[in-house]
Amino acid sequence: MATSRAVPNLAFRRLRGQHSPAEFAAAVRRAAREIGEQVACDARYIGRVEAGEIRCPNYAYERVFLHMFPGLSLSDLGFSARETVRGRRQGVPAGTAPPAAITTRNDEESDVLRRAFMTSGSATLAAASLGLGGPAVAIPSPRGTHRIGETEVRAVEDAVRRIRLLDDRYGADGLYKVAAQPLRTAYALLDAGTMTRRSTEDRLHAGAGELSLSVGWLAHDSGRHEDARSHYAEALATARVAGNAALEAHAFCNTSFLARDTGRYREAVRAAQAGLRAAQPLDSARLLSLLSLREAGGWAGLGDRSACEQALGRAHQHFERGPAEDDPEWMSFFGEPEREALEAGCWSALGEWGRAARHAHRAVALQNPHFARNLALYRAHLAEDLAHAGRRDEAAAEARRVVDSLDGIASARIRDLLAETGRVLAGTH
């Protein structure tokens, strides 16, 4: 099938003005931090946009560009409409309305994921469209000795970003099994590949570890807890082999969260404390804040109010130091809404339902609607807290809002929270 020739994006080039591509990329990264996004924008990305290789940015870049140029649309920025690009990829006429049924939409999303992550017959990692823009880059499974370079490493890194982006919008249930394929390929490259330089090997270790954590999170959020535990352990082992403190802290952070969710509260505390030790050399107060909140959640599960409050105090102190250049990319979700939601979880574990509801309500009020899955999750927590606090009508109203917002979102955690709220309201808990 013939491929269409890229058309230079002259509108975007005009917006860059007198800035160099590197200077403009730095401005994009600053704008992203202003709205709580994390994008790995560099001069190469700007060049690909201006050359017309990226016809439509992914959702993270879209938010950043529209923030930078208020009042302009994607078309004004020289991009194609998302529906037009998606329609061309799927063979659907431009302007065709998307299917209304949830099941159909989920099937379509899974089909897009399958095409993006796998090709027929061979394991392939595609840092590709996923319906979100950008040319496909495929990494064949290694046969014999395979030399690993920039192309392969960037493909792994891009796969991590696209998994996180899709999870933000759709939840984990439909993504987990499909996302496991590029993870296997990434580790196969580590096992069989020959690196062009040491920095390439370090980046591939980091990318494979982050990919393991992303796939582990999909397992975690979809209720596959043993699978999640295995993926987190694999990421931790990768971090230790590579001597990567940032990856180690991330792995302990996720392990602590999983331990708390599965009732292993002592393990949650110990994993969070190990993560704090790993994170000490890193210049990221926000990472220390998140790990302190994970520790607080473990103490709350153990019923130790004093230790929980001390950990919460440390989390607030770290958070108030603000974001930093070295904050990990994966922490883009961690702002005031998530901080409030995690503190709400601590108070609910301690049985202080009214206090938990206040923090959960703030999480809902502060959350950007763009993060549809997280907003639904915060509302589900709020509904449960209100139900336990005896505020039945408010709890039922919040639960209905969650149900109304779930179109296209699949998360076992959200369903479990709604089921618990229903049991409390029915008087069966």
Side-chain angles (χ1 to χ4, degrees):
M1 183 175 64
T3 57
S4 57
R5 179 174 299 176
V7 177
N9 187 337
L10 300 180
F12 196 88
R13 174 62 187 89
R14 285 193 294 271
L15 290 170
R16 176 160 67 84
Q18 299 302 310
H19 296 290
S20 71
E23 291 170 338
F24 193 72
V28 172
R29 296 194 299 272
R30 286 195 298 271
R33 289 193 293 272
E34 291 172 2
I35 60 173
E37 283 286 5
Q38 288 277 355
V39 294
C41 188
D42 55 16
R44 180 176 178 273
Y45 180 88
I46 299 301
R48 290 172 60 204
V49 171
E50 293 180 359
E53 295 177 17
I54 298 176
R55 293 184 296 170
C56 186
N58 70 32
Y59 286 102
Y61 276 106
E62 176 183 344
R63 290 189 67 230
V64 175
F65 291 150
L66 296 183
H67 170 69
M68 292 178 70
F69 303 106
L72 299 184
S73 66
L74 282 181
S75 297
D76 296 329
L77 300 177
F79 294 111
S80 300
R82 189 172 306 283
E83 291 75 13
T84 301
V85 173
R86 184 173 298 160
R88 288 172 184 164
R89 289 189 183 122
Q90 298 181 0
V92 178
T96 301
I102 296 175
T103 53
T104 302
R105 189 168 298 164
N106 285 342
D107 288 344
E108 285 190 347
E109 185 61 37
S110 295
D111 190 48
V112 172
L113 285 163
R114 276 191 293 273
R115 289 201 301 277
F117 282 134
M118 293 183 289
T119 60
S120 59
S122 62
T124 303
L125 176 62
S129 59
L130 297 183
L132 300 175
V137 179
I139 302 177
S141 293
R143 295 180 177 86
T145 300
H146 185 90
R147 293 187 63 80
I148 309 302
E150 179 71 14
T151 299
E152 290 85 353
V153 172
R154 287 186 69 90
V156 174
E157 293 169 344
D158 286 348
V160 173
R161 296 186 184 104
R162 280 165 169 76
I163 288 173
R164 289 173 182 160
L165 180 66
L166 288 166
D167 177 50
D168 280 339
R169 297 187 63 81
Y170 301 107
D173 286 7
L175 307 180
Y176 171 62
K177 290 184 179 179
V178 176
Q181 179 61 65
L183 177 61
R184 288 191 290 270
T185 304
Y187 275 96
L189 289 174
L190 275 176
D191 290 339
T194 299
M195 310 299 163
T196 56
R197 55 176 62 93
R198 178 58 187 268
S199 60
T200 301
E201 183 176 8
D202 290 342
R203 282 178 61 195
L204 186 57
H205 271 101
E210 290 294 342
L211 193 54
S212 189
L213 289 171
S214 292
V215 175
W217 166 247
L218 296 178
H220 183 168
D221 194 43
S222 57
R224 301 172 174 92
H225 294 146
E226 288 306 312
D227 288 346
R229 189 178 178 87
S230 176
H231 288 306
Y232 293 165
E234 184 174 46
L236 180 58
T238 303
R240 292 279 177 80
V241 167
N244 188 320
L247 180 59
E248 182 174 345
H250 189 185
F252 276 126
C253 184
N254 281 30
T255 299
S256 176
F257 191 15
L258 177 64
R260 192 213 68 175
D261 272 4
T262 52
R264 300 190 306 275
Y265 301 116
R266 186 76 58 187
E267 180 185 334
V269 170
R270 290 171 177 164
Q273 291 172 340
L276 284 163
R277 290 192 294 272
Q280 286 303 322
L282 309 174
D283 186 20
S284 176
R286 286 291 168 91
L287 177 56
L288 296 175
S289 178
L290 177 58
L291 285 161
S292 297
L293 283 163
R294 296 285 189 239
E295 182 185 354
W299 288 123
L302 290 168
D304 192 330
R305 180 190 177 101
S306 176
C308 176
E309 289 182 332
Q310 291 176 31
L312 285 174
R314 292 191 294 272
H316 281 282
Q317 289 174 359
H318 291 308
F319 192 89
E320 292 306 317
R321 288 169 56 190
E325 288 284 345
D326 291 335
D327 288 339
E329 183 178 345
W330 61 267
M331 287 190 65
S332 61
F333 75 97
F334 183 62
E336 285 191 76
E338 183 70 10
R339 184 190 67 175
E340 293 286 353
L342 292 177
E343 184 163 351
C346 291
W347 296 118
S348 63
L350 292 167
E352 296 199 23
W353 301 106
R355 193 168 184 175
R358 288 195 294 275
H359 284 283
H361 184 271
R362 282 200 286 271
V364 170
L366 291 169
Q367 181 59 51
N368 189 312
H370 171 80
F371 297 102
R373 193 281 312 278
N374 277 5
L375 182 56
L377 179 63
Y378 298 161
R379 285 195 185 281
H381 276 295
L382 175 57
E384 182 189 14
D385 293 337
L386 291 169
H388 280 291
R391 296 156 64 177
R392 299 174 59 84
D393 291 345
E394 294 173 75
E398 286 297 337
R400 283 194 294 271
R401 291 188 183 99
V402 175
V403 173
D404 290 343
S405 71
L406 286 180
D407 188 11
I409 299 174
S411 169
R413 284 201 304 158
I414 294 174
R415 292 197 302 271
D416 289 346
L417 287 166
L418 290 175
E420 173 65 9
T421 300
R423 286 191 290 272
V424 174
L425 292 177
T428 59
H429 183 79

